[in-house]
């Protein structure tokens, strides 16, 4: 991977890979949103409910292969493996200060 993953996304990926639910949820702004292939989950409670089934709860691991950053937006493309879904995926993060305001997941 040529471009290192900038913060706060690097810490987010590390939290996901160690299945640290609190650090995963704390990475988002209070009104953060997950857009998982067009399904949107806003706020900590809805993100947690989604994650319990499809992300942290599915023992997901992201192996980054590429990173692009333009300041307020970071895209990480990598191999996603979990008990829910598997394959090359693109994770685009909108960053506000030291938190993630939006994570959009699409095909890598």
């Amino acid at each position: 991977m040529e471009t290192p993953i900038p913060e706060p996304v690097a810490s987010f990926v590390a939290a996901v890979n160690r299945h640290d639910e609190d650090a995963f949820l704390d990475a988002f702004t209070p009104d953060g949103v997950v857009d998982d292939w067009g399904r949107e989950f806003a706020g900590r409670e809805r993100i947690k409910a989604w994650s319990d089934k499809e992300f942290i709860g599915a023992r997901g691991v992201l192996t980054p292969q590429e990173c692009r950053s333009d300041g307020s937006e970071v895209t990480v493309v990598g191999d996603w493996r979990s008990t829910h879904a598997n394959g090359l995926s693109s994770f685009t993060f909108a960053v506000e200060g030291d938190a993630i305001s939006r994570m959009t997941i699409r095909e890598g």
Side-chain angles (χ1 to χ4, degrees), residues 68 73-76 90-94 100 102-106:
R68 297 181 302 275
E73 189 172 274
V74 176
T75 299
V76 176
S90 173
F91 296 81
T92 300
F93 301 89
I100 295 164
R102 183 176 193 88
M103 176 176 74
T104 302
I105 306 169
R106 295 293 189 269

Side-chain angles (χ1 to χ4, degrees), residues 28-29 31-35 40-43 47 100-104:
F28 287 95
T29 60
D31 59 347
V33 176
V34 169
D35 174 345
E40 291 195 357
F41 306 91
I47 292 172
I100 295 164
S101 61
R102 183 176 193 88
M103 176 176 74
T104 302

Side-chain angles (χ1 to χ4, degrees), residues 10-60:
S11 292
F12 174 86
V13 171
V16 168
N17 288 347
R18 70 177 179 269
H19 310 114
D20 184 338
E21 179 182 69
D22 289 333
F24 162 77
L25 293 169
D26 290 345
F28 287 95
T29 60
D31 59 347
V33 176
V34 169
D35 174 345
D36 183 12
W37 293 77
R39 297 177 304 142
E40 291 195 357
F41 306 91
R44 187 178 181 99
E45 286 182 26
R46 292 201 62 219
I47 292 172
K48 180 184 179 333
W50 164 80
S51 175
D52 285 349
K53 294 178 187 174
E54 300 182 32
F55 214 65
I56 300 293
R59 306 299 290 167

